[in-house]
Amino acid sequence: MIETTPALAELSPETKLMCERPGTFSGGHRMCAGCPTGLFTKMLTRVSDEYEIVAGNATGCLEVASSIFPYSSWQIPWIHTAFENASAMMSGVEACYRSLVRQGKMRKKLKFVVMGGDGGTYDIGLQSLSGAMERGHDLTYICYDNGAYMNTGVQRSSATPLGAATTTTPVGSESSGRKGNRKDLTKIMLAHNLGYVAQASIHDIHDLFRKMKKAIDHDGPSFINLLSPCIPGWKIDADMAVESAREGVECNFWPLFEVENGKFTINYRPTAKKPVTDWVFSQGRFKHLKKHPEVIAAFQAEVDKQWAWLEMEEARTK
């Protein structure tokens, strides 16, 4: 139990309970200063007392910074495998668990969570992720999306937004950054007809907590796509990760929504429509786009198109 402070006393009962439960992830990890990735990892064991969590990581920032030998930040059973097979690995662990339960050799209630960045999820790990979801394993996959291969030097991934400068989409006289629109992984997961799929943002802890609980509680495969800014990759100040995620939601670049058994719900509607320039020009990776209004126009058109699709799906499934 932690000491109750005046600030804590103002929180909702559910949030207080979350704060009082033991966390999954200890301090002293080696994430970049200001990296928000540790926020959701601390919440894995705080969503419920009804089960224990077993977690697995694809290679990436979170794995590298939390498990530098001989140290570990993980306070739960945790496994690291390569980029491409994190979902396959955890599928095997979950299948083994079910076998042990059937044999009467295991009585604990366990839940399984896989985590990966966008490089390990949208690209290299997509095949094993799709297979695990299709086979119906009881596991939750959380993708922390920062829009590039940040751990290996900020190379473009298929989650990189239009116009972003990366080391493999450099800006120059012949290039205005990444060409083409990002892959929509959330839609791909929806095509697997999962019982629970959601988009969340690291800035809205209450919404994220609720979605993590739903996803992990769900018996069967579930997926959360989580916007998690990268300080060096986005070229923002170390104290701007949470605010930058908020701006991404406010301009509709990253809508907060969930789909439960096919029913769409938009969880947050900005009170005033903000242009994407509010978010884009707050980041160094897009600053060159001030000279490319045609890219900004295309970026805005894509954001508007995706928001219209989302509203249509919500109305259709109401």
Side-chain angles (χ1 to χ4, degrees):
M1 297 286 285
I2 62 175
E3 183 180 355
T4 301
T5 65
L8 186 60
E10 297 171 0
L11 299 176
S12 68
E14 190 176 46
T15 306
K16 285 182 186 176
L17 189 60
M18 177 182 72
C19 295
E20 291 169 354
R21 290 186 179 122
T24 311
F25 202 64
S26 65
H29 56 73
R30 300 188 185 183
M31 296 290 183
C32 296
C35 176
T37 307
L39 294 177
F40 81 89
T41 58
K42 294 177 181 176
M43 295 166 66
L44 291 176
T45 50
R46 288 175 166 166
V47 299
S48 176
D49 292 323
E50 296 177 10
Y51 39 73
E52 296 181 23
I53 298 290
V54 177
N57 254 120
T59 298
C61 296
L62 177 58
E63 170 268 324
V64 170
S66 66
S67 60
I68 296 176
F69 183 81
Y71 306 106
S72 174
S73 296
W74 296 94
Q75 302 183 47
I76 56 173
W78 175 83
I79 311 170
H80 162 234
T81 53
F83 268 118
E84 68 273 20
N85 60 356
S87 298
M89 172 272 296
M90 195 55 79
S91 296
V93 175
E94 189 267 347
C96 178
Y97 165 71
R98 282 190 285 113
S99 175
L100 291 173
V101 171
R102 283 196 302 270
Q103 297 174 55
K105 296 179 179 177
M106 174 71 79
R107 293 186 177 178
K108 286 183 178 179
K109 186 172 183 180
L110 303 182
K111 284 288 189 175
F112 301 88
V113 178
V114 191
M115 296 157 283
D118 50 280
T121 308
Y122 283 66
D123 298 332
I124 305 173
L126 182 59
Q127 181 184 15
S128 70
L129 170 60
S130 178
M133 297 290 107
E134 181 268 333
R135 290 190 299 272
H137 292 281
D138 183 16
L139 59 85
T140 296
Y141 194 105
I142 301 175
C143 172
Y144 58 99
D145 185 338
N146 50 34
Y149 289 84
M150 302 303 186
N151 180 52
T152 52
V154 194
Q155 296 90 0
R156 165 208 185 277
S157 78
S158 58
T160 302
L162 173 68
T166 70
T167 51
T168 50
T169 56
V171 177
S173 59
E174 302 296 327
S175 172
S176 57
R178 191 263 166 92
K179 297 186 184 302
N181 293 311
R182 62 197 300 276
K183 181 191 293 180
D184 194 331
L185 181 62
T186 308
K187 283 184 181 175
I188 293 174
M189 289 296 101
L190 288 173
H192 288 70
N193 298 313
L194 306 182
Y196 189 78
V197 174
Q199 276 197 180
S201 167
I202 207 78
H203 86 276
D204 191 336
I205 292 299
H206 294 281
D207 182 70
L208 175 59
F209 170 78
R210 188 180 59 79
K211 288 174 176 173
M212 287 178 65
K213 186 173 190 324
K214 278 189 178 183
I216 298 174
D217 282 352
H218 176 69
D219 290 326
S222 56
F223 177 82
I224 296 176
N225 208 356
L226 176 64
L227 182 63
S228 182
C230 172
I231 302 297
W234 290 26
K235 302 185 189 308
I236 56 178
D237 293 337
D239 62 349
M240 286 300 294
V242 170
E243 188 56 32
S244 194
R246 186 195 313 279
E247 286 297 322
V249 171
E250 291 291 340
C251 75
N252 289 343
F253 167 76
W254 194 266
L256 302 183
F257 70 98
E258 60 190 340
V259 184
E260 297 177 81
N261 298 313
K263 184 179 185 302
F264 282 67
T265 302
I266 298 175
N267 306 114
Y268 176 73
R269 295 174 190 276
T271 52
K273 181 181 176 182
K274 292 188 174 183
V276 294
T277 48
D278 285 8
W279 178 68
V280 164
F281 292 141
S282 67
Q283 303 168 48
R285 61 176 176 160
F286 292 118
K287 66 179 183 180
H288 58 282
L289 294 184
K290 291 180 179 178
K291 297 179 180 178
H292 296 278
E294 74 286 0
V295 178
I296 289 294
F299 198 124
Q300 183 69 66
E302 180 65 17
V303 166
D304 292 344
K305 174 184 169 185
Q306 295 302 329
W307 180 260
W309 171 83
L310 186 57
E311 288 194 312
M312 182 185 70
E313 290 297 306
E314 184 185 51
R316 183 182 65 80
T317 60
K318 184 176 290 183

